[in-house]
Amino acid sequence: MTTTTASGSGGLLSGKPLRAIAAIILLVNGMFPALWILFTSLKTEGELTAKPITWFPHAPTLQNYMQAFSDQPLHLFLFNSLMVALLSTMLTLLVSVLAAYALARLNLKRRGLILAAIIAVSTFPLVTLLVPLFEIMRTLNLLNSWTALVLPYTVLSLPVCTLMLVSFFEGIPRDLENAAMIDGCTRLGALFKVVVPLCAPGVFTAGILAFVNAWDEFLLALSFNSNPQLRTLPVGIQLYQGEFAFPWPVISAALVVGIVPVAVLIVIFQERVVSGLTAGGIKG
């Protein structure tokens, strides 16, 4: 009887209550910083520094958002970030689709070694690549241009996107491609007309990962572009800080504006992203 009770108790702790607690912890950990930034952006400087701390704004104001656009060219930062992220995402998807298809379908020698190399490259810290990438961009005379960011962002996103798509392509029957090629398609035609549409969740997921990586990146954007007209959003937001002042409400408003495009993108493609992540996890 004692053994049964202990077993039942252990099962209870490892069942729904434990999963619910874990879900709550993850939700709080993910949502609390975003909500805190949102509430801060709606507060005045006086309310933010008042004691005791107020969790919710007593008199919400949009003045911080207007000041965020007037103090700095926030619209220009958004445009630069959007263009760099879109261009790098499109280039990443094109190259990763071709690379993943080659790894999944072609009888490549040392395929395992190639996959191991891709995994190894993806683990390199970004700071260790900064100087070599800077020297390459300077030699190619690409500094102070969108290209100086698009190319490195593509390279940095390729390993993860390629590995993700390999698992999807391996799950597509070869007979479908063979049938398309019998009907007159080339191998590339079969890839883009048959395989890629069937792997749409994985392609969307890889694209969003590449977009978010490019949208959030700060170190390369700060190092490769000194032209004020080419600053991206992460670099532009630091300009709100003064020598002796740190206007948190205005900075929070700029952060909220920067979060919105990514949040909208994820909401629009939520089902495809979730199915892509789960399917990729099962196939991997």
Side-chain angles (χ1 to χ4, degrees):
M1 178 66 68
T2 304
T3 303
T4 304
T5 304
S7 175
S9 176
L12 181 63
L13 290 175
S14 61
K16 292 183 178 180
L18 188 58
R19 290 197 296 269
I21 293 173
I24 292 173
I25 292 175
L26 290 175
L27 182 63
V28 172
N29 182 65
M31 293 298 296
F32 178 77
L35 290 176
W36 182 255
I37 292 173
L38 175 61
F39 294 154
T40 302
S41 71
L42 298 174
K43 294 180 179 179
T44 62
E45 190 74 34
E47 183 179 355
L48 182 64
T49 56
K51 294 183 179 180
I53 296 174
T54 57
W55 293 99
F56 302 98
H58 291 163
T61 176
L62 296 178
Q63 179 62 35
N64 296 318
Y65 289 89
M66 293 184 285
Q67 188 174 344
F69 280 94
S70 61
D71 287 358
Q72 298 291 340
L74 187 59
H75 62 284
L76 181 60
F77 302 154
L78 286 168
F79 176 73
N80 289 332
S81 287
L82 182 62
M83 293 305 298
V84 168
L86 285 176
L87 291 173
S88 64
T89 299
M90 291 188 290
L91 186 56
T92 298
L93 287 180
L94 176 61
V95 178
S96 61
V97 163
L98 296 175
Y101 184 77
L103 290 168
R105 287 291 190 262
L106 304 182
N107 296 321
L108 299 176
K109 293 182 179 180
R110 298 182 177 85
R111 176 179 179 273
L113 182 61
I114 296 174
L115 290 173
I118 293 175
I119 295 174
V121 169
S122 67
T123 63
F124 288 177
L126 180 58
V127 67
T128 63
L129 303 175
L130 177 60
V131 174
L133 287 174
F134 183 87
E135 288 299 323
I136 292 173
M137 293 300 131
R138 187 178 66 174
T139 302
L140 296 176
N141 198 27
L142 294 176
L143 295 178
N144 290 318
S145 67
W146 286 345
T147 309
L149 299 180
V150 170
L151 294 180
Y153 290 169
T154 300
V155 172
L156 293 173
S157 297
L158 272 177
V160 173
C161 294
T162 300
L163 291 173
M164 176 179 293
L165 292 175
V166 166
S167 66
F168 276 92
F169 290 168
E170 288 177 340
I172 302 299
R174 293 175 182 264
D175 294 341
L176 296 177
E177 299 163 60
N178 294 334
M181 287 188 283
I182 290 174
D183 289 340
C185 276
T186 62
R187 183 175 285 276
L188 282 178
L191 168 62
F192 288 104
K193 293 180 181 179
V194 177
V195 178
V196 171
L198 291 175
C199 296
V203 174
F204 274 100
T205 304
I208 288 180
L209 289 177
F211 184 90
V212 172
N213 287 339
W215 184 266
D216 292 340
E217 203 282 323
F218 173 80
L219 183 59
L220 299 185
L222 177 65
S223 304
F224 293 176
N225 279 341
S226 58
N227 186 343
Q229 298 300 313
L230 295 175
R231 288 192 177 108
T232 58
L233 186 63
V235 177
I237 287 178
Q238 72 162 347
L239 299 177
Y240 290 97
Q241 178 183 355
E243 185 177 359
F244 303 106
F246 208 98
W248 275 114
V250 178
I251 293 176
S252 298
L255 288 172
V256 171
V257 173
I259 292 172
V260 167
V262 176
V264 170
L265 188 67
I266 292 177
V267 168
I268 292 175
F269 299 109
Q270 178 183 6
E271 293 184 4
R272 290 185 179 273
V273 172
V274 172
S275 61
L277 289 173
T278 54
I282 292 172
K283 293 173 185 177

